[in-house]
Amino acid sequence: MTADLSAAVAAARRALAGPSRERDLVVQALKAALAAWVAWAVAGWWLQAPVAFVAPWVAVVLVESTVYRSLTHGLQQLAAIATGTVVATAVGLLLPHTEAAMALVLPLVLLLGQWHRLGSQGIYAATGALFTLTAGPVSVVTSAARLGEALFGAVVGLAVNALIRPPVYLRDARALLQDAADEAHDILQEVAGGLADGRLDADAVSGWHDRALRLYPLVEQAKAAVGWNRESLRVNLRHRPKAVPHPGRGYDDAVTVLEYAAVHTAGVTRTVLETVSDEDAAPRLEAGIARHYARYLSLTAHALRLYSNSRFGPASDDGLREAVHDMRETLQTLRQDLVRSTTDDPAGVAVYGALLAQAHRLAQQMVLSAN
């Protein structure tokens, strides 16, 4: 309870302090409330429509996370509501008993709601049918009014979302990508330090591996945020700040590089964890190879930091190219060392092979990113 309260207070502070995800959420909530209020003020208070509650209900659910989604979901929702309302009206006029009409209508509209063109809004076909059958006597006039109010609520919700600070999510995408790059950098540097010192603690390595396993979901969040931002710029009337780049190919490349980094980091920490297990048969790294691999990991971490700065900061690619060049040279030296340190121990061969494969894959990806 205390932790939840502290998190809520921290979120409120971030919302008040400046632009943030928390502030975006507050703005969207206020916009949804405003859309509902406007729809009710017109349909319920001014026009005194017979089923005025439909307008604010549709308006509030259509203040979506992006303007494009408000538009597409609005069209799908109207189609679903119209389908359920028309079917329920036709059956309700033929069958005088509500229970009998519901038994016939609901299975039909629930099946119609599965139509792929209705997307996630298909459930509103059943909702529209229920409102029609349970809100009083069924009539063509009332059903037509319900459809008109749903259309009006959709227009209000879309207009509020499009005209009042329409959402743009580039800040979230950049922050998540930078967080993923920073976390990969920190893990690799810590592993490199442990290998260079020659004193690896099992608990510490286990902690590094746990962090590495959480790195890939963080990259997936960044990937989703890039997609959200790209969608948020569609049919968006809000002018994008000139200082904020368009989430084009560079962001997709960054996601790809960080996916490789996440997989590589998890593989390295898993292999190192196996070498420090308590089992007597656990393979050990030779001190010389461990130091060379530590240097390679340190260079990899440095290259990731430079890559992040070049993509999301003012830095150029010059330092990145040099760092990638050093990575490749160190990798070549490491490969030669592994060839010279031939061993008859199958476990040792497996460890060296796994480390070398992880290093080679990430080096290839960093070379591509630096070009």
Side-chain angles (χ1 to χ4, degrees):
M1 185 66 179
T2 303
D4 292 339
L5 181 59
S6 299
V9 171
R13 287 175 177 171
R14 288 193 295 270
L16 293 172
S20 61
R21 175 61 175 158
E22 289 75 15
R23 176 172 289 188
D24 291 340
L25 292 174
V26 171
V27 170
Q28 286 299 102
L30 293 176
K31 285 167 58 178
L34 174 63
W37 184 88
V38 170
W40 174 257
V42 175
W45 176 71
W46 183 30
L47 298 179
Q48 297 184 354
V51 280
F53 71 91
V54 175
W57 169 62
V58 173
V60 74
V61 298
L62 284 186
V63 180
E64 292 269 7
S65 49
T66 67
V67 177
Y68 175 76
R69 191 156 297 200
S70 288
L71 178 60
T72 56
H73 282 185
L75 294 174
Q76 291 174 333
Q77 188 179 125
L78 288 174
I81 291 175
T83 298
T85 301
V86 169
V87 172
T89 300
V91 175
L93 291 175
L94 295 175
L95 297 178
H97 298 290
T98 301
E99 294 79 5
M102 288 178 62
L104 181 62
V105 168
L106 287 180
L108 179 58
V109 296
L110 284 170
L111 286 174
L112 291 173
Q114 300 300 314
W115 187 32
H116 70 94
R117 292 192 178 277
L118 296 180
S120 61
Q121 307 302 303
I123 188 62
Y124 288 105
T127 303
L130 285 172
F131 282 161
T132 300
L133 295 174
T134 60
V138 178
S139 69
V140 174
V141 173
T142 302
S143 296
R146 183 176 289 107
L147 292 177
E149 288 150 20
L151 175 61
F152 175 70
V155 171
V156 171
L158 177 60
V160 168
N161 205 29
L163 299 177
I164 301 177
R165 200 177 181 274
V168 176
Y169 292 94
L170 185 58
R171 178 176 56 252
D172 295 339
R174 292 183 65 184
L176 286 170
L177 287 169
Q178 286 182 315
D179 288 346
D182 291 343
E183 179 67 358
H185 169 274
D186 294 344
I187 296 172
L188 291 174
Q189 285 287 23
E190 290 180 27
V191 176
L195 287 173
D197 294 340
R199 294 187 299 271
L200 292 173
D201 177 76
D203 291 336
V205 177
S206 179
W208 297 336
H209 185 55
D210 290 341
R211 289 171 60 189
L213 292 177
R214 292 192 296 269
L215 183 58
Y216 194 83
L218 182 60
V219 177
E220 287 297 295
Q221 291 179 36
K223 185 177 182 179
V226 172
W228 275 95
N229 179 68
R230 187 171 284 115
E231 180 182 299
S232 74
L233 295 177
R234 302 176 68 178
V235 294
N236 195 328
L237 303 178
R238 182 179 176 184
H239 293 293
R240 188 165 40 91
K242 294 182 179 179
V244 178
H246 191 280
R249 184 65 184 174
Y251 279 76
D252 295 330
D253 291 343
V255 169
T256 301
V257 170
L258 291 174
E259 284 178 333
Y260 271 88
V263 173
H264 165 77
T265 303
V268 168
T269 55
R270 180 175 59 251
T271 304
V272 174
L273 181 60
E274 292 171 355
T275 68
V276 296
S277 65
D278 293 332
E279 300 177 7
D280 294 335
R284 303 292 174 180
L285 289 175
E286 294 183 6
I289 294 178
R291 285 194 297 271
H292 279 132
Y293 204 82
R295 172 167 168 72
Y296 173 78
L297 291 182
S298 182
L299 288 171
T300 301
H302 180 58
L304 281 172
R305 173 61 55 81
L306 292 175
Y307 178 81
S308 175
N309 292 339
S310 67
R311 290 298 179 271
F312 312 117
S316 66
D317 291 342
D318 295 338
L320 175 61
R321 293 189 184 93
E322 183 178 348
V324 170
H325 176 73
D326 292 341
M327 277 181 62
R328 296 182 68 180
E329 287 192 343
T330 305
L331 178 60
Q332 183 62 29
T333 302
L334 180 63
R335 184 183 292 111
Q336 294 171 355
D337 288 344
L338 290 176
V339 170
R340 285 195 295 267
S341 62
T342 55
T343 176
D344 296 330
D345 181 11
V349 173
V351 169
Y352 293 157
L355 290 175
L356 187 60
Q358 296 290 351
H360 180 68
R361 289 169 187 151
L362 186 58
Q364 280 186 317
Q365 190 58 40
M366 294 304 298
V367 168
L368 292 175
S369 67
N371 293 331

